[in-house]
Amino acid sequence: MPVTVSRAIDFCAGHRLLGHEGKCTGLHGHNYVAEVTIAAEELDAVGRVVDFAVIKSVVKGWIDTHWDHGILLNRTDEGAIAALRLVAETKLFLCDGNPTVEWMAAHLCNTALPPLLEPYGVTITRVKLSETPNCFATAVPGG
């Protein structure tokens, strides 16, 4: 049975949800926490799944580059995209759907992180992404 470890990464980002029936239809932001759980079939020579510094470097590195202090938008959100492109130095990440916490967790779990962690001989077993302390989504590989 594999052993797992988890690492939490905090970041801030803005988004809006097309078609939302409430406040989330407007641009707004969250203080997110991504908790990434990683497994290995065997522990390394030191007795670890992988060094926590590796998880931090890979996961935080991807999040810092693509999402942290940026705006996530559905790629069909033409008005918001056009407006944000008028603002100098705005980090913009276009999603293949609404940038819900569910979409973001699944994207980290199934698309963004697996190829970056593969060289370390580990796999993602779960990504839990919180947009508030009380609201979060959990994604598993293939889910």
Side-chain angles (χ1 to χ4, degrees):
M1 174 177 284
V3 176
T4 64
V5 294
S6 298
R7 171 79 193 214
I9 305 292
D10 300 326
F11 68 100
C12 301
H15 70 160
R16 84 171 188 156
L17 305 178
L18 290 178
H20 191 275
E21 53 286 320
K23 295 181 198 179
C24 294
T25 194
L27 285 168
H28 65 285
H30 294 284
N31 295 316
Y32 291 95
V33 178
E35 182 181 299
V36 179
T37 302
I38 295 172
E41 289 298 325
E42 297 179 9
L43 300 180
D44 68 10
V46 178
R48 306 166 299 191
V49 169
V50 67
D51 190 331
F52 283 109
V54 168
I55 303 170
K56 180 181 178 183
S57 173
V58 170
V59 176
K60 187 174 182 336
W62 191 93
I63 288 173
D64 283 353
T65 299
H66 298 283
W67 290 354
D68 188 43
H69 285 79
I71 306 290
L72 289 79
L73 293 173
N74 186 320
R75 70 177 58 258
T76 66
D77 193 348
E78 296 173 6
I81 293 168
L84 287 171
R85 288 204 166 130
L86 295 174
V87 180
E89 299 181 31
T90 298
K91 185 188 302 183
L92 183 58
F93 187 89
L94 300 180
C95 307
D96 293 327
N98 267 337
T100 60
V101 71
E102 296 90 342
W103 185 92
M104 294 168 67
H107 185 74
L108 287 173
C109 186
N110 294 303
T111 305
L113 299 179
L116 299 176
L117 290 166
E118 187 177 345
Y120 300 98
V122 297
T123 57
I124 294 176
T125 61
R126 178 181 80 110
V127 171
K128 176 182 173 185
L129 185 66
S130 302
E131 66 179 22
T132 73
N134 300 314
C135 300
F136 53 88
T138 301
V140 296

